[in-house]
Amino acid sequence: MMTGLSEFFQYNLWANLRLLDACAELSDAQLDATMPGTFGSVRETLMHLFSSEEGYTYSFTKTRPTSPLKEVSTFVGFAELRRRAEASGTMLIQAVEQRDLSETFYLDGGTYECQAYIVALQAINHGIDHRSQIATILSQQGIELPDLDAWGYNDSLRANA
């Protein structure tokens, strides 16, 4: 079996969707909770996570959704976040499978230069970081998320084989 960077993005999509499914079951008070050292509330962190993922997708495709999350000031709901996570996650998988990751990107209006693989690395790191922050906020409330790590992903792959 040939493996590559796309497997990291398949994992990222799986973890994002699993996180959304778990968070959809939470109360408003649980979703509005925050703690020092995290991005913000669970809701704010989810919006930021998927807004950023749309931005990483834009770096590769130069296309944005009609109403990018970064321009939305209210929580869009779990069905919409799931739809967007599936779209951006799938586009990132395709991008790392099809693009030359040594290509130079000029981001932030051309003021920041990096190779495409840096954007890919940032997308993976960013997702793990914010999923962990949400897990921390929820664990402080006595709420345990399902496994979102590589072991949980492996178990899911094996169960679906």
Side-chain angles (χ1 to χ4, degrees), residues 40-92:
S41 71
V42 173
R43 271 187 236 266
E44 292 166 335
T45 306
L46 288 169
M47 290 289 288
H48 169 74
L49 173 61
F50 297 113
S51 170
S52 297
E53 193 159 285
E54 287 179 351
Y56 304 135
T57 300
Y58 176 78
S59 296
F60 285 101
T61 66
K62 300 302 182 220
T63 60
R64 293 189 198 280
T66 304
S67 298
L69 282 176
K70 73 178 188 170
E71 297 174 4
V72 177
S73 60
T74 58
F75 188 70
V76 296
F78 286 100
E80 179 64 9
L81 280 181
R82 182 176 241 289
R83 185 187 70 74
R84 288 175 182 256
E86 288 173 338
S88 61
T90 299
M91 284 189 271
L92 286 169

Side-chain angles (χ1 to χ4, degrees), residues 20-143:
L20 285 171
D21 289 346
C23 288
E25 303 298 320
L26 300 175
S27 70
D28 286 339
Q30 293 165 330
L31 291 169
D32 292 334
T34 188
M35 65 179 297
T38 63
F39 178 83
S41 71
V42 173
R43 271 187 236 266
E44 292 166 335
T45 306
L46 288 169
M47 290 289 288
H48 169 74
L49 173 61
F50 297 113
S51 170
S52 297
E53 193 159 285
E54 287 179 351
Y56 304 135
T57 300
Y58 176 78
S59 296
F60 285 101
T61 66
K62 300 302 182 220
T63 60
R64 293 189 198 280
T66 304
S67 298
L69 282 176
K70 73 178 188 170
E71 297 174 4
V72 177
S73 60
T74 58
F75 188 70
V76 296
F78 286 100
E80 179 64 9
L81 280 181
R82 182 176 241 289
R83 185 187 70 74
R84 288 175 182 256
E86 288 173 338
S88 61
T90 299
M91 284 189 271
L92 286 169
I93 292 166
Q94 292 169 349
V96 300
E97 287 176 343
Q98 299 169 4
R99 295 292 295 266
D100 174 5
L101 296 181
S102 67
E103 176 184 354
T104 300
F105 285 171
Y106 299 93
L107 309 175
D108 298 333
T111 64
Y112 189 80
E113 180 182 328
C114 67
Q115 289 180 302
Y117 77 87
I118 296 295
V119 175
L121 288 171
Q122 175 59 23
I124 294 293
N125 180 68
H126 188 260
I128 291 169
D129 185 36
H130 286 303
R131 287 190 299 269
S132 178
Q133 289 178 7
I134 290 170
T136 299
I137 293 168
L138 295 178
S139 71
Q140 293 301 305
Q141 299 176 71
I143 301 163

